[in-house]
Amino acid sequence: MVLLNLYIVYFVVCILSVNSTCTTNNDEDVRKFPLNFAFGTATSAYQIEGAWNVSGKGENIWDKYVHKNPNVVIDKSNGDVACDSYHQYDRDIEMLKELGVDYYRFSLSWSRLLPTGSVANVNNDGVDYYNNLINGLLKHNIIPFVTIYHWDLPQKLQDLGGWTNPIIQDFFEDYANFVFRQFGDRVQHWLTFNEPKQICLCGYGQTTFAPGLNMTGVGDYMCGHNLLLSHARVFHLYDKKFRIKQAGSIGITIEGTWSEPFSSSKEDFNAAERFMEFEAGWFMNPIFSIKGDYPAVMKERIAVNSAIQGFSKSRLPEFTEEQIRLLKGSSDFLGLNFYCSTMARHINTNVSSEPSYEDDANVYSYVNQSWPHAASSWLTVTPWGFHNYLNRIKNLYDNPEVIITENGYSTWGGLVDNDRIKYINLHLNALLDAIKDGSKVTGYTVWSLMDNFEWQQGYSEKFGMYEVDFQDPSRKRIPRKSAKYFIDVIRTKSVKHYDPEYYEINDCTNSVYV
Ligand code: GBH
């Protein structure tokens, strides 16, 4: 997908290149992005919109989950009001304008548009809301980049079994058809899903995310299967019915964590590979590999463990040849969310009688305590892992176009967020290293535009380039230092080379800030 018109960009870059970037007098310290490279920032509906029961919106699984089990969220908060973007979207657009982003990645709330999940029952206020948002973005030349599903299933569909019931494929296809018809005349960049692995592992395998089914080794694989088939159907729907007329592109976002072997032993190397195959490979392999289907190591291990446990067939559902074919290549680009790395160690375990994803993967995966990390305990700062991960994608999947749909850093708050600036700088440098190695990365998205409802962490961990005052009824938003840093990156389409010997973020005094 080409997010940017080259000629306009070239013109802007020429004008801006007379300005110097932050702290450097040495041209060699400045690394330029390709001319058609695009920058953006991301949010998701449940995390920012609020207005959970306003103007005809139906209940979704996160509404229900957090209302019923307030203790799953660390500060017992919820997304009832969140950033109140349902009412404050003008300010959101203004912030995007301040940043100068090329695009804004946001998600549609299925139950705001279709309160029961079905196209038989449309909520026109919901349609108006997204029309206003999309039109407002376009008015300011900000490209809307729309995620169709970011975790908030209409509750009625969950009552039918959610992603474990194959009927969900029909509902998802109808919903996607509806949004292409409503918004596709102006939206040309689509993502079917955000992070299938999290939806299925955390929501169906564990209790960390809604709907909290806690059926590890069974519910997670059923969810993944229907989700992949739903994705393929919507890709082909777009391809056949909308692509020519709407001239857009459609992909999927998958999160990738780099897994670093504990030692140079073959066993640890295999454990790290197995970890990555069970996590992102579960969804990348069927769509992006030449051969298609689930990763071989997943198929083998789950089949063996299922047999030992007395199942008559594998707990991992099988694709037909036709389904493998439909899934292969069903994405115009790979949306990659990259945050961090983990360590992997080989372990010898006896398969327990209970089905379990962990047993199936059979990897001891842990956070290396010597790596720096963000406020979120899982979020280690490993830009080298980002570089490695991009190389892995290039080599494994025949070098697809990649858009970084999320990358970001959490703090406990405060406007001077030097650590976030450093994180973004390091990851942009790693991204440029990967491009140098031949990766086709065309866009970079910061998670997030502003602080928001961070799922089970509530409002405690803050990912925003804008701080949001959750005590203020109008949810006032204030730019952090990182917003100002990102403005410079976008304006100059360049980033300073990171060198711990002399790099000082505090030196950024020459930049033109808002
Ligand atoms: C993204 O997931 C999401 O797309 C976005 O909605 C979210 O706000 C953002 O990251 C920041 O978290 O607490 O140890 O159980 C990134 C992948 C998946 C990482 C869930 C954290 C929970 C780890 N995330 N995971 S733990």
Side-chain angles (χ1 to χ4, degrees):
M1 104 169 161
V2 179
L3 271 161
L4 285 188
N5 178 318
L6 272 182
Y7 297 103
I8 295 175
V9 172
Y10 186 63
F11 179 62
V12 173
V13 167
C14 289
I15 295 192
L16 294 179
S17 57
V18 293
N19 285 324
S20 65
T21 46
C22 160
T23 72
T24 185
N25 303 315
N26 182 351
D27 278 354
E28 281 172 24
D29 295 339
V30 175
R31 304 180 74 187
K32 287 270 177 200
F33 285 87
L35 286 178
N36 64 347
F37 195 89
F39 291 96
T41 176
T43 60
S44 89
Y46 185 76
Q47 295 179 273
I48 65 161
E49 283 179 9
W52 81 278
N53 60 354
V54 171
S55 292
K57 178 179 160 293
E59 188 186 40
N60 66 41
I61 56 174
W62 273 91
D63 295 322
K64 170 129 184 201
Y65 199 56
V66 296
H67 289 155
K68 229 179 132 192
N69 316 287
N71 288 332
V72 298
V73 181
I74 206 163
D75 53 8
K76 297 188 175 40
S77 63
N78 56 49
D80 287 2
V81 183
C83 307
D84 197 28
S85 284
Y86 187 69
H87 301 107
Q88 308 294 339
Y89 66 90
D90 274 343
R91 172 66 181 131
D92 295 347
I93 296 169
E94 188 180 70
M95 283 143 56
L96 293 157
K97 187 80 195 136
E98 284 167 8
L99 290 174
V101 288
D102 300 303
Y103 61 90
Y104 176 41
R105 176 178 174 232
F106 63 95
S107 81
L108 303 175
S109 160
W110 189 342
S111 70
R112 190 180 297 291
L113 290 164
L114 310 173
T116 60
S118 138
V119 283
N121 176 10
V122 176
N123 175 29
N124 289 322
D125 284 356
V127 176
D128 289 348
Y129 170 67
Y130 292 114
N131 273 332
N132 291 339
L133 175 60
I134 291 164
N135 294 341
L137 291 169
L138 291 174
K139 201 169 128 201
H140 292 98
N141 296 318
I142 299 162
I143 297 167
F145 189 2
V146 175
T147 312
I148 300 173
Y149 185 82
H150 196 126
W151 307 358
D152 46 358
L153 191 72
Q155 183 58 41
K156 285 279 181 215
L157 298 182
Q158 192 61 54
D159 296 343
L160 292 175
W163 296 104
T164 62
N165 183 343
I167 195 79
I168 196 73
Q169 297 170 38
D170 295 339
F171 280 93
F172 188 67
E173 188 175 5
D174 282 355
Y175 164 49
N177 186 56
F178 171 81
V179 303
F180 295 147
R181 275 202 294 118
Q182 289 291 336
F183 309 120
D185 56 334
R186 286 151 295 147
V187 173
Q188 291 172 307
H189 304 284
W190 298 97
L191 291 160
T192 51
F193 289 99
N194 181 67
E195 298 188 349
K197 177 191 79 192
Q198 274 73 14
I199 296 168
C200 297
L201 265 193
C202 304
Y204 290 77
Q206 310 164 357
T207 55
T208 36
F209 286 1
L213 280 198
N214 206 15
M215 292 179 68
T216 182
V218 177
D220 33 22
Y221 300 139
M222 290 169 71
C223 165
H225 204 68
N226 287 312
L227 194 149
L228 277 163
L229 292 171
S230 302
H231 163 81
R233 277 174 58 171
V234 166
F235 174 84
H236 291 289
L237 169 77
Y238 188 79
D239 206 39
K240 290 206 179 71
K241 221 170 124 185
F242 296 95
R243 187 190 291 282
I244 290 180
K245 205 157 150 225
Q246 301 187 343
S249 60
I250 182 159
I252 184 168
T253 279
I254 298 171
E255 188 253 343
T257 296
W258 174 255
S259 185
E260 180 67 15
F262 169 73
S263 76
S264 56
S265 74
K266 185 94 188 116
E267 283 84 2
D268 286 341
F269 176 83
N270 287 343
E273 280 298 309
R274 199 160 62 244
F275 178 86
M276 290 189 276
E277 289 295 71
F278 264 80
E279 293 242 318
W282 179 6
F283 297 96
M284 286 184 187
N285 210 71
I287 300 174
F288 295 98
S289 72
I290 306 286
K291 229 175 130 203
D293 203 353
Y294 291 119
V297 67
M298 267 187 102
K299 288 177 43 169
E300 281 159 27
R301 291 197 55 88
I302 300 168
V304 168
N305 289 356
S306 302
I308 294 172
Q309 290 158 343
F311 288 87
S312 57
K313 59 179 187 182
S314 177
R315 287 179 275 104
L316 182 69
E318 255 181 52
F319 290 123
T320 63
E321 286 301 317
E322 171 70 1
Q323 290 169 333
I324 290 176
R325 204 180 51 73
L326 282 174
L327 270 158
K328 257 196 301 183
S330 64
S331 198
D332 294 323
F333 58 89
L334 167 62
L336 178 71
N337 289 356
F338 182 91
Y339 285 89
C340 59
S341 305
T342 52
M343 296 290 296
R345 263 185 107 157
H346 174 76
I347 35 168
N348 283 316
T349 47
N350 295 323
V351 179
S352 80
S353 54
E354 293 288 314
S356 139
Y357 170 88
E358 303 269 304
D359 266 9
D360 292 339
N362 193 39
V363 178
Y364 174 46
S365 158
Y366 62 99
V367 168
N368 185 334
Q369 295 302 330
S370 71
W371 295 338
H373 71 84
S376 315
S377 56
W378 53 272
L379 212 177
T380 55
V381 183
T382 57
W384 48 269
F386 188 29
H387 186 182
N388 288 348
Y389 206 90
L390 286 167
N391 278 344
R392 184 172 198 270
I393 286 170
K394 180 187 70 185
N395 298 334
L396 261 188
Y397 306 126
D398 198 23
N399 204 7
E401 179 185 350
V402 176
I403 298 172
I404 305 307
T405 41
E406 284 180 35
N407 177 243
Y409 184 89
S410 57
T411 67
W412 301 114
L415 293 176
V416 182
D417 52 349
N418 289 338
D419 289 345
R420 175 175 290 112
I421 295 175
K422 187 168 171 180
Y423 178 95
I424 295 174
N425 176 279
L426 287 168
H427 285 78
L428 286 173
N429 270 292
L431 189 156
L432 284 170
D433 292 341
I435 290 180
K436 216 165 151 195
D437 287 353
S439 279
K440 294 194 295 207
V441 189
T442 59
Y444 174 85
T445 318
V446 172
W447 183 273
S448 176
L449 171 62
M450 61 190 148
D451 297 340
N452 55 52
F453 179 72
E454 179 51 25
W455 309 111
Q456 72 284 37
Q457 303 307 323
Y459 297 98
S460 64
E461 295 173 7
K462 317 229 180 241
F463 277 88
M465 287 187 291
Y466 280 71
E467 181 177 85
V468 177
D469 182 353
F470 291 102
Q471 307 308 319
D472 180 337
S474 71
R475 297 298 191 268
K476 190 167 189 295
R477 292 111 154 93
I478 306 171
R480 293 204 167 100
K481 195 168 162 186
S482 58
K484 295 160 186 172
Y485 169 79
F486 202 42
I487 288 169
D488 263 359
V489 171
I490 299 171
R491 278 179 45 134
T492 58
K493 248 194 156 86
S494 67
V495 69
K496 198 177 164 228
H497 185 74
Y498 181 78
D499 182 344
E501 290 288 311
Y502 63 80
Y503 187 85
E504 252 307 323
I505 289 158
N506 288 328
D507 287 348
C508 295
T509 47
N510 300 325
S511 315
V512 183
Y513 294 163
V514 272

